[in-house]
């Protein structure tokens, strides 16, 4: 696996020639595997003999993974993404009620307000310069603001947390950079937790602290910080990539955008087809078989670190037909994808990500109907690292503002 990342789709095609399950070499010459066939991945994600707890990671348990290994945080952060069974249910239950479809729908007015404010900023920028960097000015700002408001993260911390998140999820950092980023991330989020402990508010961090103080067995300090790391990173990085990839897809497929404008397809269709066709997360670390496990005819040895190949599963011809590489909003069962996970660890924030992306895209293209990329898509610099799947910049020409007509 190339630590520098890049577009995953050509790599997935080569890997799929070996089968739905393939061996890979992770950074630092650590042997691993990737499951990237749709049916194989669905089976693997829900298999009872597959764990998330890093005590099942053989190379880590044997001391063969150095402290500065760039993927170590994915394995060792304390929280629901690295917990199994009762521990996982305990940690998930502490925040799950805040992410139900009904609770998330209650956030719609605030999300719509934020989107309109951000689009006002895009319009002001476009008035001064016809090219606007949409990823940083819009696609990033919406999910970052929403997740930070939900968890009571003060504005002074937000830019730094995004920078640190980008380093934590990058697979190309040096050991020194990885250690420094993780240490600072813990420090910053400990400051956030201390601020909410001193001045509790109507936010999830305050609620988590209250739960810990009422019953210390429900949540340790390390688990509190680990939960914040998970939600700050996953709560904005994935939606950032989703919105970015959807804009790119629509700009590159004007016929599909025309279907939405004609009412033949919906913005929900856009979000689901983008999730399938260009998953915002490409290869997510890690799961570990607790015994030698055969998946789609391939043996995955016990304790092997396994990547969930969401971008590969999304374009698997066996599941999506011979035209799986085509972006098609009229595709039957377009939501038959695994990009938000499957089984016990299905993405808790899925309703929020879907709502944010749907509102963002609908209002963006209504406000700027002539919006297009300012450079060809294949010239956009790829996302750093192989975990996330997107581009680092999204320069666009918004065109005329519909509100000024």
């Amino acid at each position: 696996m190339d630590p520098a990342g890049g577009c995953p789709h050509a790599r997935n095609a080569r890997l799929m020639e070996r089968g739905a399950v393939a061996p890979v070499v992770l950074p630092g010459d650590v042997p691993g595997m990737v499951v990237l066939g749709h049916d194989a991945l669905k089976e693997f994600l829900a298999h009872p003999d597959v764990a998330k707890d890093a005590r099942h990671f053989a190379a880590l348990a044997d001391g063969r993974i150095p402290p500065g290994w760039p993927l170590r945080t994915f394995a060792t952060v304390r929280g629901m993404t690295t917990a199994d069974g009762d521990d996982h249910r305990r940690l998930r239950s502490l925040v799950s009620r805040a992410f139900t479809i009904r609770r998330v729908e209650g956030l719609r007015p605030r999300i719509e307000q934020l989107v309109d404010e951000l689009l006002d900023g895009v319009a002001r920028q476009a008035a001064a310069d016809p090219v606007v960097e949409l990823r940083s000015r819009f696609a990033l700002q919406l999910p970052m603001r929403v997740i930070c408001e939900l968890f009571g993260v003060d504005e002074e911390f937000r830019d730094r947390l995004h920078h640190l998140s980008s380093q934590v999820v990058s697979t190309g950092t040096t050991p020194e950079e990885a250690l420094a980023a993780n240490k600072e991330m813990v420090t910053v989020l400990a400051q956030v937790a201390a601020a909410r402990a001193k001045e509790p508010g109507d936010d999830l961090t305050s609620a988590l602290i209250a739960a810990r103080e009422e019953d210390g067995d429900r949540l340790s300090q390390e688990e509190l910080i680990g939960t914040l790391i998970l939600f700050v990173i996953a709560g904005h990085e994935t939606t950032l990539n989703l919105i970015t990839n959807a804009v790119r897809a629509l700009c590159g497929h004007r016929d599909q955008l025309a279907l939405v404008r004609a009412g033949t397809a919906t913005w929900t269709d856009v979000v689901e087809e983008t999730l399938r066709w260009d998953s915002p997360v490409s290869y997510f670390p890690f799961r570990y078989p607790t015994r030698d496990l055969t998946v789609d005819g391939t043996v995955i040895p016990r304790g092997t670190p396994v990547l969930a190949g969401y971008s590969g599963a999304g374009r698997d011809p066996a599941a999506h037909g011979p035209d799986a590489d085509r972006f098609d909003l009229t595709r039957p069962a377009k939501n038959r994808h695994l990009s938000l996970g499957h089984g016990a660890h299905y993405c808790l924030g899925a309703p929020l990500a879907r709502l944010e992306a749907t509102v963002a895209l609908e209002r963006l293209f209504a406000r700027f109907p002539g919006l297009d990329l300012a450079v060809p898509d294949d010239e956009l610099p790829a996302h750093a690292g192989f975990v996330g799947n997107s581009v680092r910049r999204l320069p666009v020409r918004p065109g005329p503002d519909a509100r000024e007509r």
Side-chain angles (χ1 to χ4, degrees):
M1 302 297 293
D2 183 357
C7 178
H9 301 301
R11 180 187 305 114
N12 286 335
R14 293 194 301 271
L15 287 169
M16 286 285 278
E17 291 176 358
R18 302 184 180 190
V21 182
V24 293
V25 179
L26 301 170
D29 292 329
V30 176
M33 299 194 84
V34 59
V35 181
L36 67 165
H38 178 278
D39 291 347
L41 182 57
K42 187 174 182 179
E43 174 191 350
F44 183 76
L45 293 175
H47 202 288
D49 295 320
V50 172
K52 293 279 280 179
D53 192 319
R55 65 190 178 88
H56 299 286
F57 185 175
L60 183 67
D62 294 345
R64 289 180 277 140
I65 303 297
W69 193 52
L71 293 166
R72 190 179 177 108
T73 297
F74 287 100
T76 60
V77 65
R78 291 291 300 278
M80 66 186 72
T81 60
T82 56
D84 298 310
D86 289 343
D87 269 349
H88 175 250
R89 285 185 286 273
R90 169 177 59 86
L91 293 167
R92 193 174 173 103
S93 69
L94 290 170
V95 292
S96 60
R97 283 177 292 180
F99 291 95
T100 63
I101 293 175
R102 187 170 67 86
R103 288 284 185 93
V104 167
E105 188 59 33
L107 297 173
R108 180 182 288 273
R110 176 57 177 155
I111 291 171
E112 291 174 343
Q113 178 187 14
L114 285 173
V115 168
D116 288 342
E117 290 175 1
L118 291 168
L119 292 178
D120 287 344
V122 170
R124 288 191 295 271
Q125 178 66 27
D129 185 336
V131 177
V132 176
E133 210 301 281
L134 199 69
R135 182 173 169 88
S136 60
R137 295 191 67 92
F138 179 67
L140 163 64
Q141 297 300 324
L142 174 63
M144 192 66 179
R145 290 190 191 184
V146 170
I147 203 67
C148 285
E149 287 183 9
L150 273 175
F151 279 86
V153 177
D154 294 332
E155 190 170 351
E156 63 184 286
F157 297 117
R158 294 176 189 176
D159 287 346
R160 190 62 188 161
L161 284 173
H162 170 62
H163 172 73
L164 293 170
S165 296
S166 298
Q167 288 191 299
V168 169
V169 302
S170 174
T171 52
T173 53
T174 66
E176 293 76 19
E177 289 170 337
L179 286 169
N182 280 281
K183 182 178 180 181
E184 188 176 354
M185 175 73 85
V186 170
T187 299
V188 171
L189 289 175
Q191 290 177 304
V192 170
R196 295 288 68 80
K198 185 178 180 181
E199 296 183 25
D202 184 20
D203 59 80
L204 286 173
T205 301
S206 297
L208 289 169
I209 292 169
R212 184 189 63 191
E213 291 176 350
E214 289 169 12
D215 182 358
D217 290 338
R218 291 192 70 195
L219 188 73
S220 69
Q221 174 69 8
E222 191 178 5
E223 288 172 335
L224 170 63
I225 300 302
T227 299
L228 292 179
I229 289 174
L230 164 64
F231 278 96
V232 168
I233 295 177
H236 87 277
E237 288 278 353
T238 51
T239 309
L240 160 61
N241 289 348
L242 172 57
I243 295 171
T244 300
N245 292 357
V247 170
R248 293 167 55 217
L250 291 171
C251 288
H253 300 81
R254 309 301 292 194
D255 59 323
Q256 299 299 302
L257 179 57
L259 292 178
V260 182
R261 289 178 167 153
T264 305
T266 68
W267 291 105
T268 297
D269 293 331
V270 173
V271 170
E272 296 306 319
E273 180 67 347
T274 302
L275 285 166
R276 180 201 71 81
W277 184 73
D278 210 12
S279 173
V281 176
S282 193
Y283 311 101
F284 192 77
F286 286 117
R287 284 171 169 80
Y288 322 96
T290 57
R291 61 175 178 81
D292 290 354
L293 194 65
T294 300
V295 177
D296 197 57
T298 298
V299 176
I300 307 176
R302 180 180 64 84
T304 300
V306 180
L307 301 172
Y310 296 121
S311 60
R315 296 197 185 189
D316 181 1
H320 304 290
D323 65 344
D325 285 341
R326 184 162 62 92
F327 183 75
D328 179 7
L329 299 182
T330 66
R331 183 181 302 279
K334 63 184 69 62
N335 60 348
R336 186 178 173 243
H337 61 76
L338 300 170
S339 293
L340 295 169
H342 177 68
H345 287 271
Y346 180 79
C347 177
L348 194 58
L352 180 59
R354 284 182 161 117
L355 177 61
E356 289 175 336
T358 303
V359 172
L361 293 165
E362 181 175 8
R363 294 195 171 215
L364 171 66
F365 282 94
R367 183 82 176 262
F368 303 103
L371 183 143
D372 205 352
L373 299 182
V375 299
D377 187 79
D378 59 7
E379 294 181 12
L380 295 173
H383 192 285
F386 58 72
V387 176
N389 171 41
S390 193
V391 292
R392 285 177 283 174
R393 295 187 299 106
L394 187 64
V396 301
R397 296 183 185 275
D401 184 346
R403 288 194 178 182
E404 296 180 356
R405 294 182 179 178

